[in-house]
């Protein structure tokens, strides 16, 4: 009998036939074309905003009124210039860097705090859960945009301040979502076994509840980031953005809307399209991750 004809060791075939969880999750995600398209668009926007200024350096500090409102292609400006003479492509890249940084940081911070908050409330239950959820319900009853405008009008906007302001209202939804997951997970056998072995509430929350709700947390984080980017645009459009010469896509829209009546479309289309593409990309990625973490689809 040759080596090729020898039987495989016990368990080898089963291990080879059963792909790992990561491989199954990746395979399901890869089957979602919209999710792949969203990933490609997001990667392109990140490269444009963070590496683009190295390839296309521009002066985004000093104004040049002699070159204000140039049409795309004029005098070497691919996307034209703004009303203050800034190169529109350079402005788009620097503004996108601000929008993406604030959106990513605020979305992740809101998801992190909301996850811990909801997991604690759902696991411990009782009067603590009732008190924590009443706080959440009261905050959800107030329109988020109203709260953002009030807080942003009180303090001086900056990147760290915008991140904290947006995260302070965005954590409510993930808190309620993870609280529902915690209510289901706290009755599982492994949680009861941990209690019998003397484990405390902190261990239950951070070693069992949160890790087993990780799929829900990751999916929700993508939607929170998309919402945070929209919140940045809302506040900037209302004039509550980071002071000049800094910029973001919302403030670019707000500045360019004045000139749409005279045909200067290049002042609003690039930032508007960038916001739409970014939000759509995160939503498509979130949909793909939701399917990827679905056990029923992993079996197909």
């Amino acid at each position: 009998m040759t080596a090729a004809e020898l039987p495989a060791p016990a368990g080898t075939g089963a291990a080879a036939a059963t792909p790992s969880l990561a491989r199954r999750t990746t395979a399901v995600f890869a089957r979602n074309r919209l999710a792949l398209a969203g990933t490609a668009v997001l990667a392109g926007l990140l490269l444009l905003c963070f590496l683009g200024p190295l390839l296309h350096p521009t002066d985004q500090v000093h104004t040049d009124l002699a070159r204000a409102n140039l049409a795309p292609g004029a005098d070497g400006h691919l996307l034209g210039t703004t009303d203050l003479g800034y190169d529109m492509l350079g402005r788009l890249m620097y503004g996108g860097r601000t929008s993406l940084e604030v959106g990513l940081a605020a979305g992740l911070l809101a998801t992190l705090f909301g996850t811990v908050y909801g997991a604690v409330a759902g696991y411990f239950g009782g009067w603590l859960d009732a008190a924590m959820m009443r706080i959440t319900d009261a905050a959800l009853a107030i329109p988020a945009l109203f709260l953002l405008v009030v807080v942003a009008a009180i303090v001086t906007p900056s990147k760290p301040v915008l991140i904290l302001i947006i995260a302070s209202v965005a954590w409510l939804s993930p808190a309620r979502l993870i609280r529902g997951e915690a209510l289901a997970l706290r009755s599982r056998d492994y949680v009861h076994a941990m209690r019998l072995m003397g484990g405390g509430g902190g261990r239950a929350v951070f070693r069992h509840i949160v890790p087993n709700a990780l799929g829900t947390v990751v999916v929700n984080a993508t939607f929170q980031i998309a919402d945070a980017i929209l919140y940045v645009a809302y506040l900037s459009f209302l004039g509550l953005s980071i002071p000049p010469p800094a910029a973001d896509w919302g403030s670019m829209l707000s500045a360019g809307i004045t000139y749409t009546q005279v045909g200067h479309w290049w002042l609003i289309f690039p930032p508007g399209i960038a916001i739409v593409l970014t939000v759509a990309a995160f939503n498509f990625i979130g949909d793909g991750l939701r399917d990827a973490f679905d056990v029923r689809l992993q079996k197909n």
Side-chain angles (χ1 to χ4, degrees):
M1 181 179 294
T2 63
E5 296 173 340
L6 290 174
T12 303
T18 305
S20 66
L21 177 61
R23 290 178 57 190
R24 294 199 304 268
T25 302
T26 304
V28 174
F29 184 85
R31 291 201 297 265
N32 191 319
R33 295 184 179 180
L34 287 177
L36 292 179
T39 303
V41 169
L42 181 60
L45 287 170
L46 289 172
L47 290 175
L48 174 69
C49 295
F50 290 92
L51 296 182
L54 300 178
L55 303 176
H56 182 69
T58 58
D59 185 358
Q60 297 295 322
V61 177
H62 302 94
T63 61
D64 187 359
L65 298 180
R67 297 185 177 183
N69 293 325
L70 294 179
D75 200 16
H77 299 283
L78 295 178
L79 295 180
T81 61
T82 69
D83 58 319
L84 295 178
Y86 296 123
D87 179 78
M88 191 64 183
L89 178 57
R91 200 71 171 166
L92 186 71
M93 292 187 290
Y94 279 101
R97 182 180 296 181
T98 300
S99 295
L100 289 171
E101 287 177 350
V102 174
L104 284 167
L108 293 176
L109 181 60
T111 301
L112 176 63
F113 182 78
T115 297
V116 175
Y117 189 94
V120 170
Y123 173 75
F124 289 99
W127 66 268
L128 181 61
D129 176 39
M132 294 176 72
M133 285 302 102
R134 295 300 76 76
I135 295 174
T136 305
D137 293 339
L140 284 171
I142 305 173
L145 186 57
F146 174 77
L147 288 176
L148 289 173
V149 170
V150 170
V151 176
I154 296 173
V155 298
T156 302
S158 63
K159 278 187 182 181
V161 171
L162 277 179
I163 291 170
L164 292 176
I165 290 174
I166 295 172
S168 66
V169 299
W171 65 270
L172 301 170
S173 294
R176 291 191 62 85
L177 182 65
I178 301 304
R179 182 248 185 184
E181 290 283 324
L183 288 175
L185 291 172
R186 70 177 183 176
S187 60
R188 298 291 177 87
D189 291 339
Y190 54 81
V191 177
H192 291 308
M194 181 275 303
R195 289 175 178 171
L196 292 175
M197 295 174 64
R203 182 180 180 86
V205 169
F206 293 104
R207 295 293 298 274
H208 296 282
I209 302 296
V210 173
N212 282 283
L214 187 60
T216 302
V217 172
V218 171
V219 173
N220 183 258
T222 60
F223 298 123
Q224 290 300 319
I225 294 172
D227 290 342
I229 292 174
L230 285 177
Y231 283 141
V232 175
Y234 295 157
L235 291 174
S236 300
F237 190 81
L238 295 173
L240 300 172
S241 61
I242 301 174
D248 57 77
W249 289 334
S251 63
M252 293 174 66
L253 277 175
S254 180
I257 200 72
T258 308
Y259 297 90
T260 55
Q261 299 297 325
V262 293
H264 296 169
W265 54 268
W266 60 88
L267 297 179
I268 61 171
F269 272 73
I273 292 173
I275 292 173
V276 171
L277 287 177
T278 304
V279 174
F282 274 111
N283 282 321
F284 288 153
I285 293 172
D287 289 338
L289 289 173
R290 181 183 57 199
D291 294 342
F293 285 108
D294 192 329
V295 179
R296 294 170 297 179
L297 294 177
Q298 291 178 4
K299 295 178 180 178
N300 295 333

